[in-house]
Amino acid sequence: MAVTSHAVANEFIRIAQEQHKQLTNMQLQKLVFIAQGYSLAIRDAPLYVHNTHAWQWGPVIPKLYKSLQKYGSSFVTDPLETSDTIDPTSDEAELIKAVWDSYGHYTGGQLSALTHRQNTPWSKTWEKEKFAVIDNDLIADYYKKLVETA
């Protein structure tokens, strides 16, 4: 069952803290989005319920952005307020951990560059209508191709 983007972000924050690492707003935005992509591709189900939009610096979940905005470009120091959690023994937690293992070492700028590539869900949406919602079907199709070629 899909949770809030905040719960997904909190799981990334928890994993990072376990490894004595810190994440910025931009890193969290992109990691949460990438996890959504793999969830749609592998599980045929969204990981989070909030819409993702095509903003100038890539995919952004506005509800998550609003909660992280106070950090600016600094590191996020505390978990976000939400009643949702990710069960650490769940498939969702396993997927988030896999995304962390593959993408957690990237900077916010590097993650933004990955999501800005030609023919990504962000670029296709941005070309059509700036700041529009990125359709989950578009995200699923893109990440299914990534999974198939991996």
Side-chain angles (χ1 to χ4, degrees):
M1 184 170 97
V3 295
T4 64
S5 55
H6 296 66
V8 178
N10 281 345
E11 185 63 11
F12 279 114
I13 292 167
R14 185 191 68 73
I15 294 168
Q17 287 175 341
E18 275 183 359
Q19 297 181 13
H20 307 287
K21 296 183 177 178
Q22 294 181 304
L23 296 169
T24 63
N25 177 351
M26 185 179 283
Q27 285 172 297
L28 277 169
Q29 286 286 341
K30 304 316 177 228
L31 289 169
V32 170
F33 172 75
I34 292 167
Q36 177 84 322
Y38 282 109
S39 180
L40 289 165
I42 296 166
R43 300 170 56 239
D44 288 319
L47 188 57
Y48 59 83
V49 295
H50 296 143
N51 285 329
T52 306
H53 292 247
W55 283 15
Q56 182 178 359
W57 301 112
V60 172
I61 305 123
K63 287 189 184 263
L64 181 59
Y65 180 82
K66 187 171 181 164
S67 297
L68 294 170
Q69 192 172 10
K70 65 183 177 185
Y71 293 104
S73 60
S74 300
F75 291 116
V76 176
T77 54
D78 299 306
L80 304 171
E81 286 187 35
T82 181
S83 58
D84 285 349
T85 58
I86 303 282
D87 176 351
T89 62
S90 68
D91 291 344
E92 291 87 353
E94 188 177 312
L95 184 137
I96 292 167
K97 178 72 168 82
V99 169
W100 171 260
D101 291 343
S102 296
Y103 296 92
H105 62 282
Y106 288 107
T107 66
Q110 290 169 324
L111 290 168
S112 182
L114 279 177
T115 60
H116 268 74
R117 289 182 176 162
Q118 195 66 6
N119 295 316
T120 61
W122 174 86
S123 73
K124 288 181 177 183
T125 304
W126 185 255
E127 288 168 12
K128 268 182 154 174
E129 184 183 353
K130 293 170 175 43
F131 302 100
V133 171
I134 302 173
D135 185 82
N136 276 352
D137 290 337
L138 197 59
I139 298 168
D141 290 345
Y142 178 81
Y143 280 89
K144 282 179 183 177
K145 289 175 187 160
L146 283 184
V147 169
E148 288 168 5
T149 60

